[in-house]
Amino acid sequence: MQYSRILIACLTAACVSAVAIAILYRFAESWGLVDRPDERKHHVGHVPLIGGLAAFIGVLAGTVIDGQPHLYTVTLLATAAVLAAVGALDDRFDLSVRTRLLVQTAAVLTMVAVTGVQIHTLGHLFGQEFELGVFGIPLTVVAVIGLLNAFNMMDGIDGLAGTLALVSIGAIIMYQGQPQWPGVIVLVLLAGALVPYLAVNLGLVGKKIFLGDAGSMVIGYMLAWSLIHLSQSGPTHELSTMDVLWCVALPVLDTLAVMVRRIREGKSPFKPDRGHVHHMMMRAGLGPRTTLVALVTLAILLALTGMLTHSLAPGSNLLAFGAITVIYVTLMGRVWQKLQSTPAIPTLAPPRPTLETTGRLPSNVVRLQSSVTLLSSYGKKAQGPKRGSAAK
């Protein structure tokens, strides 16, 4: 009975998300929720930023069908709704970093105050329990904001943020062994709601849409709180603190590498650039789909690595993650320096407007036709009257 209810709720989330995409697509341009190309964004045309909003609407619908909301779930969805609204405003008006951080901090503190869920321990490491005491709430704020912005930063090529979210959700369920559905039901609904978005974003059906800041922020926020809830609540934690890091390893590692590099260069760690791993792979000559497959494969391998080290001696998980972090940050820093010293591989120019895409001939073709017509008329005048015309 439980599995059938979850399945129905998940299918509802997917269907409602698909319908929401179709409806929101009609209003995206008038609402200003479109992504325009600039020096950092090289897509063609104005693309609606509605994928995240549609997915969140699907999650809400699935929660209603599930019919068993707890205080934790209701508070999570309420604060996520605030972040979705702020993300949509950011997509429309490009809000300041300070404004976004203030709203994100308020959402996290609201969750802590209402539900009491927070990071209070780092787990059993090296033979003893690491309790955080008064440092628990500040670390909770940093962890949640860090992860939601990590997914926001990974939303740089088609399908990447959404697919990495599916990998993280799958890893969380895999680490649990026997899934405890009350703790992951929101994530299961999120996975179902992301499927229609990924199908459209990757060009499998319909016209292209993007996730938008509303979507990437909500994905990271829901994952962060689910991981905290599973690893910190109850007498027996369903996940260890280090398991949490392995479930979202790639977004965390890439965010750390980018921030370390920016700080070394004397820049703000929040200033956007094209220095994320997916940007560097594409600059090295890989295509978007190849980059997507490679990074998703890497995320899966990292999650499996965490499972292997989990069975070793206490503390091995932490040491392994620390070693991989140092290697990743160092490697990405060197790759960035090398790419900066070599010219970028030129990318193909966007296609010129055609009769098929615009409904009219391009202006250069019209000018060419006019020139040909004009030359033809001059040629006829130069030839004079046809033979036999004067005899008539």
Side-chain angles (χ1 to χ4, degrees), residues 69 84 92 99 165 173 183 214 294 312 317 320 328-329 335 352-353 359 368 377:
R92 175 65 178 85
T99 300
I173 296 175
L312 301 178
N317 228 356
Y328 187 93
V329 171
V335 171
R352 295 178 179 273
L368 179 61
S377 63

Side-chain angles (χ1 to χ4, degrees), residues 333-390:
R334 292 183 178 179
V335 171
W336 171 259
Q337 291 177 354
K338 185 173 182 180
L339 289 176
Q340 290 297 96
S341 62
T342 57
I345 297 177
T347 57
L348 295 175
R352 295 178 179 273
T354 63
L355 176 61
E356 181 181 356
T357 59
T358 64
R360 60 181 184 275
L361 290 172
S363 57
N364 57 342
V365 176
V366 174
R367 289 196 297 271
L368 179 61
Q369 287 184 338
S370 300
S371 300
V372 172
T373 303
L374 185 61
L375 289 173
S376 299
S377 63
Y378 276 123
K380 290 180 180 179
K381 290 180 180 179
Q383 290 176 2
K386 293 182 179 179
R387 292 183 182 181
S389 299

Side-chain angles (χ1 to χ4, degrees), residues 21 25 199-209:
I21 289 174
Y25 196 96
V200 178
N201 178 244
L202 293 173
L204 302 180
V205 294
K207 299 179 180 179
K208 182 180 289 294
I209 62 172

Side-chain angles (χ1 to χ4, degrees), residues 2 6 172-173 176-185 230 238:
Q2 180 186 24
I6 293 173
I172 291 170
I173 296 175
Q176 283 187 296
Q178 184 68 27
Q180 303 299 315
W181 294 114
V184 297
I185 184 62
L230 292 172
E238 298 177 24

